[in-house]
Structure formats: C-alpha cells, structure tokens
Amino acid sequence: MIDSHTHIYMEEFDTDRNDVITRAVAAGVCHMILPNVDMESIEPLHRTIEQYPHRCHAAMGLHPTSVAADFGNHLSAIRPLFDTHHYCAVGEIGIDLYWDKTFRNEQCEAFATQIEWSQELDLPIIIHSREAFDTTLSVLQQFPKDSVKGVFHSFTGTAQEVETIRNRVGDFYFGINGIVTFKNAHLEKLVEAIGIDRLLLETDAPYLAPTPHRGKRNEPAYVPYMAARVAQILGMSIEEVDAATTHNTRTLFSI
Ligand code: NI
C-alpha cells in the first residue's frame, strides 16, 4: 500500500517520525508521497526525504491557504527547486475558499501558474480543493481538455462532480482519506463513481484520522482502514484494493 498524501515532515511527528515510518511499513504501507505546503515546510520536507529516500517521495508546490498578496515571491523561490531536486508531482496546489476568500484571485493565478509548471516539467498535479469546486474547475478549464494530469486529493465531493471533472477537464485520479470510514460520511456512491481504476488511498496525516482513531493524530499506518472500507463498498478483497490502488499511485507519480 502507498499513502499517496501525507505530511509526516510536520512538527507533529518530530518526536517519533522513525516509529511512525516503522509502523507504516509494518502495516504494509511501504511508500509515502509528501506534498509541500508553504515556504517554511520546504526545509523539513527535504530533510525527511533525505532521511528516508526509499520510503518517501516529495511533491513541491504552494498550497492555496498559503497564497497571499506576495505569492509571486514565493512562486519565484519555489520554481528553481524543480531544477535541483527530484519531485514526483507539483503539489499541493489548488483553491481553498473555506478558510478565507480574500485572496481568491491570487489563488487562481498561483494555481494556473503551477499547472503551467506541471506541463513544462511533465509532472502530475496534486489538487487541494475545498469549498471551491466551480473555481477549481474554471482554472483547470483554462487548459486544453486532457492536457493536465493529477489527483483531486481528499476528495469528498459528489458522484456528479466526478462526472463533471471527467467531461470537462479529463481523466483524473481521486484520493480517498479517513473520512470514508466515518459512519455518517455516506461516500459509497462517490467511491463507486470513481471506480477502483482511478482511486488512490491517502491519510492526509496528521489530519483526519480514520475510525477507530478519529480525533487523534493521523499517520500512514492507518491506510489499511481506508483500504478495508473501500473493499467493503466495492465488494472486493483488501488485497485487490491494495494491488489496484498501489498500481494507480505508482502509475500517476512514476514511483
Ligand atoms: Ni495535504
């Protein structure tokens, strides 16, 4: 299994990162994709990748909640990193209008610029979209259909939204996190609409721990809870879900 979206470089893991990775591997989660967030997270992200080069793979980008008036300076500092480091994706990038709508236009501009990078570099993108489906789609539609590849991470939208993305933007992957294990989440129709061929498993650790760890710190060792729930919804074995989602993640990120 692969945790396709985790932030184990964050300070929440500073005291026991080694144990976290040992537990992940013991649980069968042998690879982890680590997307960047802001300027401050770049150093700890690089440090973690250097420490665990056979387990951890980095993605680089500026997260939408980190976009403000000075986003141009941040992007100018981040872009050259792609020439000196190996990254498996541009991310995480996108639109977040849940916390703050002040920099909506700046978020759109930063998102579009980073999508252009992904095309120059031939890398997939990791999309963060929260309370911003239409805005996210409008930015993606500035690019020719099927010209952008990537994943909508922590996707909790509707089956209809999956169809809309496929019709208007292209054949994206969708990341399913611990929310799928919550009793009242009702993501069955969504998981069916995505289908096993376009599904990735993720924790988004340290956030959104699955049942039975809900409310506590999340970690990559919990990916099997998501796999079990997806297997239950799709009427598959956990082994089949593991094989398919691992294949999907390796294909998308070329790892
Ligand atoms: Ni994230």
Side-chain angles (χ1 to χ4, degrees):
M1 279 180 214
I2 301 176
D3 187 347
S4 68
H5 193 113
T6 182
H7 300 281
I8 53 166
Y9 55 82
M10 286 181 173
E11 63 183 9
E12 281 87 342
F13 299 97
D14 277 355
T15 57
D16 66 344
R17 190 168 292 106
N18 217 28
D19 295 340
V20 165
I21 291 182
T22 302
R23 278 198 294 273
V25 174
V29 183
C30 297
H31 293 271
M32 291 144 246
I33 311 282
L34 280 52
N36 189 51
V37 174
D38 57 24
M39 299 307 292
E40 285 67 43
S41 59
I42 294 171
E43 201 273 325
L45 168 58
H46 282 164
R47 212 182 328 121
T48 305
I49 297 289
E50 280 161 25
Q51 224 171 339
Y52 305 98
H54 304 294
R55 301 288 179 206
C56 298
H57 310 266
M60 183 49 61
L62 186 64
H63 191 286
T65 57
S66 305
V67 170
D70 61 347
F71 77 96
N73 295 334
H74 294 341
L75 292 186
S76 303
I78 290 174
R79 179 61 182 83
L81 297 173
F82 285 90
D83 302 326
T84 51
H85 294 71
H86 178 75
Y87 300 119
C88 65
V90 179
E92 54 185 291
I93 62 176
I95 309 287
D96 190 318
L97 303 177
Y98 174 78
W99 297 105
D100 191 354
K101 295 185 179 68
T102 313
F103 297 108
R104 184 185 175 281
N105 292 339
E106 288 82 354
Q107 285 191 32
C108 289
E109 213 178 308
F111 186 28
T113 298
Q114 294 180 93
I115 295 171
E116 284 168 18
W117 296 355
S118 80
Q119 299 195 313
E120 291 162 21
L121 298 158
D122 194 24
L123 287 173
I125 59 173
I126 299 171
I127 301 174
H128 169 109
S129 174
R130 190 163 184 200
E131 300 279 318
F133 183 74
D134 293 337
T135 308
T136 302
L137 214 64
S138 73
V139 174
L140 284 164
Q141 286 187 274
Q142 294 170 19
F143 298 85
K145 188 169 179 256
D146 299 319
S147 71
V148 184
K149 58 179 178 172
V151 56
F152 278 80
H153 109 86
S154 283
F155 194 77
T156 53
T158 63
Q160 182 55 50
E161 286 173 348
V162 170
E163 278 316 299
T164 304
I165 290 164
R166 285 174 177 159
N167 292 334
R168 299 200 201 153
V169 187
D171 193 7
F172 269 76
Y173 290 88
F174 296 87
I176 294 294
N177 66 14
I179 292 174
V180 77
T181 65
F182 297 174
K183 246 199 183 104
N184 302 319
H186 301 301
L187 295 183
E188 293 86 356
K189 283 203 172 70
L190 171 69
V191 169
E192 283 166 7
I194 294 168
I196 194 66
D197 291 343
R198 287 297 175 269
L199 208 139
L200 307 186
L201 300 176
E202 61 166 79
T203 58
D204 203 12
Y207 317 108
L208 293 165
T211 305
H213 301 284
R214 193 171 176 177
K216 304 206 185 86
R217 186 189 70 173
N218 201 357
E219 61 175 75
Y222 299 161
V223 171
Y225 292 110
M226 282 65 111
R229 180 71 183 113
V230 166
Q232 188 185 32
I233 292 171
L234 295 179
M236 300 171 71
S237 69
I238 294 176
E239 291 73 24
E240 287 168 332
V241 170
D242 177 11
T245 55
T246 298
H247 172 79
N248 295 343
T249 310
R250 285 188 175 282
T251 304
L252 179 64
F253 296 114
S254 303
I255 60 165

